[in-house]
Amino acid sequence: MNLRIAGIELRRSAAPWIGAFVAALAWAWTTDPERWDGLWMATVLAHQSSLWLLCPLALMAGAWQGRRNQPARMTELVMSTPRGAAQSAPLAVVLAGCLAVGYALSLLDGVVRAARTTSYQPAGWYWPVLVGVLGLAAAGVLGLWLGRVLSSRLTAPLLALGALVAVVVSQVLWQDSGPSALLLIPGRLSLPDVYSAPDWRTNAGQAVWFFGVSATSWVLLSAGTRLRKWIAVLPVVLSLAVALAVLPPPDRAVPHDTHAVALVCAEGQPRVCVTRLYEPVLPQLVGPARQALTVLGRLPHPPTAVIQHYGNDTQSPGAVALDLTVLQDGTVSIGTAGSIEEGILEGAGTRACGAIYDDEVGTRVEAARVAAGLWLRGADAAPASMWSPLRELVDGALATMRTLPEDAQVARVGTMRDAALDCRLDLYDVLTTR
């Protein structure tokens, strides 16, 4: 009988439309035209972060469905049937199922595109998806029960508004810190960088909590006696206790995936390595990187490898620490340079670092880095397209350099490289006046 009723609910209730709306909204949230498709876990966690909006909507949809007998004035008639209080159980199953299916399907596009890039697939990437499914289903069933016991037109919008305010306020007050209990809020998980993946304790704690909320809401929805309603509280209390015991502190909820940051190197010498996450773009780097190392070989103590930089590790004199960005179409971009080789040669194979965001100081640091790169490539002037006053500074540095003997020019660029490795801010002075 329940299966038949569930089939009727599936055909006649608004649950399928609610699931379709959730799918469209979650898909729109996940889609990022500027994000490279190979960032598998980043796509999954961006999808999960949409729960801060989807769960209040699911709560509202459940409450709206929960009071649907009230406008028709059928509550007393339905409650007087032999099925009693359990009359909403099939609707709860259908609603939770449609929300879960809509949420899972919305990720299908991102997962397929990630799989086509043959990029690194983190182990257990599906756990955040399952946690999201549980969270959304829990919100829907809880809303169904609240809509039934608080049968008012205002219940659904007030629930959604209250949930949204609670989520947003918690995000503002406790951004990256606070108690572990904050991880129980849907969508609370943040992604420090693309190498991060949820700790197993984070997934387990959130899954237990959402399951407990679902179970309590389900029992309350179908409970016919006061004793059963009291018993219904047990799942949420137990799940809360287990979740708080399991969950890590928020700042350790999404640590680095050690497999994602492991280096993968191209065959042959000199070494050109990227993290495993970016392994698909390694073939694009090898040729330009080795050509740049050949050019840098003119300098004293030149680097002998190009290794992708990540995190906050310091620069090594023996290797170029490469900051790379992969565009949505899979091409590599390094800073503002026009090519990979130019990007590596900028700053004589060093990273931009230090307090370079001050307008005047930052411009002089950038001018020195650009001038060193142009000098290594044999250029005598800055490109005409370069913005002013950077172009004037670069032209001045190159003109000064060209007046010196060849050995002195090499020595100045080598000294500037040493200063850049130490993140000093006097790079322009080193290049032009010493």
Side-chain angles (χ1 to χ4, degrees):
M1 177 61 75
N2 282 341
L3 286 177
R4 183 183 175 190
I5 297 174
I8 294 172
E9 295 285 5
L10 186 61
R11 292 197 308 272
R12 298 187 176 181
S13 74
W17 295 105
I18 294 170
F21 178 72
V22 165
L25 193 59
W27 175 82
W29 186 271
T30 303
T31 302
D32 183 351
E34 297 183 358
R35 184 176 56 221
W36 177 46
D37 292 340
L39 300 177
W40 194 299
M41 185 56 82
T43 300
V44 170
L45 291 185
H47 185 254
Q48 196 197 48
S49 70
S50 66
L51 289 177
W52 76 270
L53 177 62
L54 295 179
C55 281
L57 290 177
L59 199 64
M60 181 176 70
W64 175 52
Q65 289 287 285
R67 70 171 300 271
R68 66 179 185 178
N69 293 329
Q70 182 67 20
R73 298 179 180 178
M74 294 178 60
T75 304
E76 292 183 2
L77 176 62
V78 175
M79 293 295 292
S80 65
T81 64
R83 290 183 291 113
Q87 36 90 21
S88 296
L91 177 59
V93 173
V94 170
L95 179 62
C98 289
L99 288 169
V101 170
Y103 180 78
L105 286 179
S106 64
L107 187 61
L108 189 61
D109 175 52
V111 168
V112 169
R113 286 190 286 109
R116 290 175 62 186
T117 62
T118 63
S119 64
Y120 169 65
Q121 185 185 81
W125 62 269
Y126 43 82
W127 284 114
V129 182
L130 295 178
V131 168
V133 164
L134 275 174
L136 210 54
V141 179
L142 178 62
L144 197 61
W145 172 67
L146 289 172
R148 182 177 159 191
V149 298
L150 303 171
S151 187
S152 165
R153 289 187 178 90
L154 298 177
T155 301
L158 288 179
L159 280 176
L161 181 62
L164 272 175
V165 169
V167 171
V168 171
V169 168
S170 72
Q171 296 276 9
V172 172
L173 294 181
W174 301 283
Q175 291 186 353
D176 295 318
S177 60
S180 300
L182 290 174
L183 296 175
L184 301 177
I185 299 172
R188 180 64 176 78
L189 211 57
S190 60
L191 182 66
D193 58 41
V194 296
Y195 297 104
S196 301
D199 188 274
W200 71 269
R201 296 174 299 169
T202 305
N203 289 329
Q206 291 183 331
V208 167
W209 166 244
F210 290 140
F211 179 80
V213 174
S214 301
T216 289
S217 302
W218 171 270
V219 176
L220 286 172
L221 198 61
S222 58
T225 65
R226 182 172 297 181
L227 177 60
R228 291 190 63 183
K229 291 180 180 177
W230 280 108
I231 294 175
V233 180
L234 288 177
V236 73
V237 172
L238 290 174
S239 66
L240 179 61
V242 172
L244 291 178
V246 171
L247 285 170
D251 59 349
R252 283 185 279 170
V254 195
H256 270 172
D257 179 354
T258 55
H259 295 286
V261 300
L263 290 180
V264 178
C265 299
E267 294 183 359
Q269 293 294 330
R271 291 178 71 207
V272 179
C273 307
V274 295
T275 58
R276 189 181 302 281
L277 184 63
Y278 288 94
E279 186 177 1
V281 303
L282 181 58
Q284 295 184 53
L285 287 173
V286 177
R290 287 177 175 165
Q291 181 60 36
L293 288 175
T294 301
V295 175
L296 289 169
R298 300 173 58 188
L299 303 178
H301 312 296
T304 57
V306 172
I307 297 176
Q308 185 187 359
H309 167 267
Y310 71 92
N312 297 317
D313 52 325
T314 57
Q315 299 187 72
S316 166
V320 175
L322 193 63
D323 282 319
L324 64 84
T325 300
V326 183
L327 305 179
Q328 202 275 336
D329 62 358
T331 57
V332 174
S333 172
I334 299 176
T336 58
S339 70
I340 296 172
E341 183 180 340
E342 291 175 17
I344 294 173
L345 292 179
E346 194 168 287
T350 61
R351 291 177 51 239
C353 60
I356 59 175
Y357 299 107
D358 177 87
D359 286 343
E360 184 177 353
V361 175
T363 301
R364 289 175 67 84
V365 169
E366 186 177 356
R369 294 178 52 80
V370 172
L374 289 171
W375 179 85
L376 284 165
R377 290 158 48 203
D380 293 322
S385 59
M386 189 172 289
W387 55 276
S388 182
L390 181 65
R391 185 174 66 248
E392 288 77 9
L393 286 170
V394 172
D395 284 340
L398 288 172
T400 302
M401 293 278 289
R402 295 302 183 194
T403 63
L404 301 174
E406 179 69 18
D407 291 348
Q409 295 179 37
V410 172
R412 285 204 179 188
V413 176
T415 305
M416 193 225 72
R417 171 178 159 76
D418 293 338
L421 289 172
D422 291 335
C423 292
R424 287 164 49 184
L425 301 180
D426 59 345
L427 303 188
Y428 195 82
D429 296 334
V430 171
L431 200 62
T432 58
T433 62
R434 296 185 182 182

